[in-house]
Amino acid sequence: MTTTREAGPVQADLLARARAGDGAAFRALTEPHRRELLVHCYRMLGSYQDAEDALQDILLAAWRGLGGFDGRASLRTWLYRIATNRCLSVLRTAARREAKEWDIPGVRPPAPTRHGEVVWLEPFPDALCDAAPPPGPEVRVEQAESMSLAFVTALQVLPPRQLAVLVLRDVLGFPAREVADLLDTTVEAVKSALKRARAGVPRRPDTPVAGSPAENAVVARFVRAYEAADIDAVVALLTDDVFLSMPPLPFEYEGAEAAGEFLGALFGAGRRYDLVPTRANGQPAFGAYLRSPSGHSQATGLYVLGLAGDRISALTRFENTVLPWFGLPRTVPKR
């Protein structure tokens, strides 16, 4: 573990200047950790917007509390303490985004399989994950899995303390003793919480490597079928237990037949789409643009695919308000 004494003269100088009120020195100290802290907050909160808000609070708390940083732990560990406890506070006290009523004009959806609880879930742009440092040596959850929508969704239904322990231990690789220190609890309590949390989080199915020929082949077939409104071809790509959701709408459809009925309702209403590729949560994603007579297709949302082998095991739709996070426009020329 890196302490203040071990960090070298440059960081020691920055720390001294920051403690004296030098904002530029503080930013130089914290900027290397900014993106990984944002990712940490996202895993805990399940919302990109909530994670950004929490990060601002965390950096403000770190600035105000820098005089109390004694160097017994690394600056990174100290920041994770502040971040984790801030997220726990949000989970315990903040009002989360409420479910929305069905709002797709001209489309009458089939009865959902069930109504989802995690309606605040939002996608996370892959471009913001690139600078995250490698995890610690005790990691059990692979990095790709740890950002998948299925994993982040499963985290959201855990009790807050179990969620924090699972992320700190199995995603970030902090030793049990450090996690106990971060959460002001005992090693025994950490081990107990971790055991219960692991039981509540399913492992991700085998997925193709990002950008591999196998992934590209599935994605290309999906785009052709979806843009052609070929419902049979789309359904043929789905696993038998495929899961379709659309937060903040609570409607969820489980199974290829149910998902096919929903997609059939979209296509049956005469809606045709163009798909623009991007990536979210380590998964293939697309901006969806509704074709119109105007000559431009209008943004309607973002679709994120979960893959299992050469099939699609999950399809998550988000509102068009998330598109700017991915650098996607409001309209595209009609093809």
Side-chain angles (χ1 to χ4, degrees):
M1 182 188 303
T2 302
T3 67
T4 303
R5 293 181 299 276
E6 297 167 339
V10 173
Q11 182 163 342
D13 177 64
L14 287 173
L15 184 58
R17 287 162 49 199
R19 283 174 169 158
D22 186 334
F26 176 77
R27 287 190 293 274
L29 279 172
T30 57
E31 187 62 29
H33 307 290
R34 184 184 182 95
R35 189 168 288 187
E36 63 170 309
L37 290 173
L38 177 64
V39 171
H40 178 58
C41 293
Y42 172 74
R43 288 193 183 101
M44 291 196 64
L45 301 177
S47 163
Y48 176 67
Q49 295 180 98
D50 288 352
E52 284 197 315
D53 291 343
L55 180 60
Q56 299 309 310
D57 292 340
I58 290 157
L59 293 175
L60 180 59
W63 169 250
R64 291 174 172 172
L66 196 59
F69 173 55
D70 58 15
R72 287 182 297 176
S74 68
L75 179 68
R76 178 176 181 263
T77 298
W78 182 70
L79 290 171
Y80 267 101
R81 170 190 281 273
I82 297 172
T84 301
N85 284 288
R86 174 57 188 163
C87 289
L88 287 173
S89 177
V90 171
L91 290 170
R92 290 167 179 151
T93 63
R96 307 307 298 267
R97 185 167 55 156
E98 295 182 355
K100 286 185 59 175
E101 298 291 334
W102 180 261
D103 62 352
I104 301 179
V107 178
R108 184 179 180 86
T113 305
R114 61 175 180 263
H115 289 84
E117 298 179 21
V118 189
V119 296
W120 59 84
L121 184 70
E122 293 175 342
F124 194 94
D126 271 23
L128 297 183
C129 293
D130 294 344
E138 300 184 37
V139 170
R140 285 171 52 95
V141 179
E142 295 294 335
Q143 284 295 285
E145 178 182 354
S146 73
M147 283 300 289
S148 72
L149 287 175
F151 183 78
V152 174
T153 302
L155 291 177
Q156 301 308 301
V157 299
L158 293 175
R161 185 56 66 97
Q162 289 183 29
L163 188 167
V165 168
L166 182 70
V167 171
L168 291 169
R169 288 284 286 123
D170 280 3
V171 176
L172 295 169
F174 280 102
R177 185 169 298 281
E178 282 194 39
V179 175
D181 290 341
L182 287 171
L183 299 177
D184 293 320
T185 188
T186 64
V187 171
E188 290 72 21
V190 166
K191 291 180 178 178
S192 177
L194 182 62
K195 182 178 180 180
R196 294 194 299 273
R198 285 174 176 169
V201 177
R203 297 304 298 266
R204 189 184 188 191
D206 290 336
T207 60
V209 174
S212 67
E215 182 187 83
N216 292 340
V218 180
V219 167
R221 290 171 60 197
F222 173 78
V223 171
R224 287 195 300 270
Y226 203 92
E227 291 189 335
D230 186 342
I231 188 63
D232 291 335
V234 173
V235 171
L237 283 169
L238 307 179
T239 61
D240 292 341
D241 60 350
V242 66
F243 183 69
L244 189 155
S245 58
M246 53 195 78
L249 294 171
F251 288 32
E252 295 180 347
Y253 297 88
E254 188 168 13
E257 182 177 354
E261 287 181 6
F262 171 78
L263 295 172
L266 288 182
F267 297 150
R271 297 168 72 91
R272 298 294 182 267
Y273 298 89
D274 292 318
L275 300 180
V276 176
T278 184
R279 294 194 70 86
N281 296 79
Q283 301 167 230
F286 303 91
Y289 293 82
L290 181 65
R291 297 173 189 167
S292 70
S294 69
H296 283 78
S297 299
Q298 306 292 321
T300 64
L302 183 86
Y303 290 97
V304 183
L305 304 184
L307 305 184
D310 61 353
R311 308 276 290 282
I312 296 170
S313 59
L315 179 59
T316 310
R317 173 193 178 272
F318 296 98
E319 295 183 311
N320 61 6
T321 53
V322 310
L323 294 178
W325 309 344
F326 297 84
L328 295 173
R330 293 184 178 276
T331 65
V332 295
K334 190 167 64 173
R335 298 172 186 172

